[in-house]
Amino acid sequence: MSFRVLVLAVSLLMSMTTYSKELYPLASQKQEAQFHALLHELRCLVCQNQDLSDSNAGLAKDLRNEVYQLVKIGKSDTEIMDYLTMRYGDFILFKPPVKSITLLLWFGPILFLGVGLVILVVSFRKGSRTNDD
Amino acid sequence: MKYLSWRMIPIFVFVVLLLLFWRGLSLDPHHLPSTRVGKMMPEFQLPLLNDHKHSLTPKDFQGHMSLLTVWASWCDACAREQPFLLKLQQKGVLIYGINYKDTPTDAKKWLAEWGNPYQLIAEDVDGHVAIDLGVYGAPETFLVNKKGMILYRHVGILNEQVWQTKFLALMKEG
């Protein structure tokens, strides 16, 4: 009995991955790949840790449709991302663009690591110098 | 003296971080600033709730300051802000409504129950115009100036405090 339930559950799960292909038919493999790749790069603004392909939120469904329509008419990744960031800002992208305003976001951690190392080295040297006296 | 100030740096950093974290406690991590503020309303044409022969377009916003509220009958928070919107309407504030991803029947029933402060109500059944406005939840209220430019976008329930602190100053500037 439980084995049958398992088989049913696994086959349902497997069918869910093809679910979106039937709902969003596209002319070529290339477009399908573009569509699915984009969905993974875009954030659901309601459930903000999920991407557009995973989220069940109403807005996610609407945005999936928008992306689908844009892919269908042949828009490029940049054009589609610009379309969405124009309406929702950079936050809708999981990877924020490297602009002057996000430089600290991207390079901050390395910067702090560098400063920390410098302080470590300097205090180490200072400590060893006083020990010699 | 120089030796002393070198040691002050971690304490200084700590105090700064403390202040930032304290400030952070009152921030909402889910809140999105609107990219539409400071820009003209996007072009749109939506049928009116009570009259499908006529539409709401950005032209309706020309010549006067107004509010545009995105609401729905399925939205609990919308019901909670309705008394305040009715109060604003009685004070003479022009409010336009976009009925978001809803049905006309439900919308009309909801208005009969909660009141109707709107000059005009447009139906955005598939939510496409809301996406153009950068809407990510209901209710949202936009402050639109005489030329049809969006001056501010508030996400969530509009109340006296938000009105006083965010909207009034902008309304006076015209």
Side-chain angles (χ1 to χ4, degrees), chain A residues 45-48 58-59 61-63 66 83-92 118-119 122-123 126 130, chain B residues 3 6 9 29-36 39 100-101 126-128 130-137 153:
Chain A
L45 299 161
V46 179
C47 315
Q48 293 178 349
L59 181 65
K61 182 160 166 277
D62 294 343
L63 289 174
E66 291 281 317
Y83 179 90
L84 290 170
T85 53
M86 206 167 72
R87 289 155 176 74
Y88 291 103
D90 290 337
F91 190 62
I92 200 174
V118 166
I119 293 177
V122 169
S123 59
K126 270 211 175 122
T130 50
Chain B
Y3 197 61
W6 168 249
I9 290 178
H30 287 270
H31 179 259
L32 245 78
S34 171
T35 53
R36 293 320 218 176
K39 303 220 170 75
Y100 176 59
K101 300 189 63 172
D126 61 6
H128 182 79
I131 288 179
D132 282 344
L133 285 164
V135 169
Y136 65 106
R153 189 267 296 265

Side-chain angles (χ1 to χ4, degrees), chain A residues 3 12 16 29 33 36 42 47 49 54 56 61-62 66 71-72 76 79 86 91 94 96 102 110 118 125-126 129:
Chain A
F3 180 69
L12 270 173
M16 270 165 77
Q29 289 265 38
H36 288 286
L42 297 166
C47 315
N49 286 321
D54 287 337
N56 286 324
K61 182 160 166 277
D62 294 343
E66 291 281 317
V71 168
K72 207 166 168 203
S76 71
E79 286 171 316
M86 206 167 72
F91 190 62
F94 271 117
T102 56
I110 293 265
V118 166
R125 279 215 207 123
K126 270 211 175 122
R129 234 180 289 142

Side-chain angles (χ1 to χ4, degrees), chain B residues 61-116:
Chain B
F61 294 81
Q62 300 285 325
H64 46 251
M65 274 271 205
S66 50
L67 298 181
L68 174 63
T69 297
V70 177
W71 65 277
S73 64
W74 46 260
C75 155
D76 286 334
C78 300
R80 297 220 292 276
E81 77 171 358
Q82 205 70 338
F84 184 69
L85 291 184
L86 286 163
K87 204 168 110 182
L88 286 179
Q89 184 226 2
Q90 276 151 26
K91 278 203 225 164
V93 177
L94 286 170
I95 315 178
Y96 296 92
I98 288 186
N99 182 232
Y100 176 59
K101 300 189 63 172
D102 210 346
T103 65
T105 331
D106 288 338
K108 287 178 196 164
K109 222 190 317 176
W110 191 89
L111 289 169
E113 184 177 350
W114 296 100
N116 183 355

Side-chain angles (χ1 to χ4, degrees), chain A:
Chain A
M1 174 62 196
S2 54
F3 180 69
R4 283 198 209 147
V5 173
L6 185 68
V7 170
L8 183 68
V10 171
S11 51
L12 270 173
L13 270 168
M14 286 176 73
S15 66
M16 270 165 77
T17 56
T18 54
Y19 161 81
S20 50
K21 276 193 189 158
E22 284 154 2
L23 212 63
Y24 303 109
L26 285 164
S28 66
Q29 289 265 38
K30 185 162 170 262
Q31 282 194 328
E32 273 183 27
Q34 183 195 14
F35 179 56
H36 288 286
L38 275 171
L39 290 186
H40 284 297
E41 282 187 48
L42 297 166
R43 188 192 302 270
C44 170
L45 299 161
V46 179
C47 315
Q48 293 178 349
N49 286 321
Q50 288 187 298
D51 63 28
L52 284 187
S53 72
D54 287 337
S55 177
N56 286 324
L59 181 65
K61 182 160 166 277
D62 294 343
L63 289 174
R64 272 198 294 272
N65 254 314
E66 291 281 317
V67 175
Y68 169 64
Q69 298 297 338
L70 292 168
V71 168
K72 207 166 168 203
I73 59 177
K75 293 287 181 190
S76 71
D77 282 0
T78 321
E79 286 171 316
I80 294 175
M81 290 199 277
D82 283 346
Y83 179 90
L84 290 170
T85 53
M86 206 167 72
R87 289 155 176 74
Y88 291 103
D90 290 337
F91 190 62
I92 200 174
L93 303 171
F94 271 117
K95 291 189 216 145
V98 183
K99 303 201 287 224
S100 50
I101 211 169
T102 56
L103 273 177
L104 197 62
L105 182 71
W106 278 105
F107 300 108
I110 293 265
L111 208 76
F112 280 118
L113 189 69
V115 171
L117 278 173
V118 166
I119 293 177
L120 193 72
V121 166
V122 169
S123 59
F124 206 67
R125 279 215 207 123
K126 270 211 175 122
S128 65
R129 234 180 289 142
T130 50
N131 278 344
D132 287 346
D133 299 54

Side-chain angles (χ1 to χ4, degrees), chain B residues 34-48:
Chain B
S34 171
T35 53
R36 293 320 218 176
V37 169
K39 303 220 170 75
M40 300 300 288
M41 289 185 94
E43 197 50 55
F44 69 87
Q45 187 182 12
L46 292 174
L48 295 183

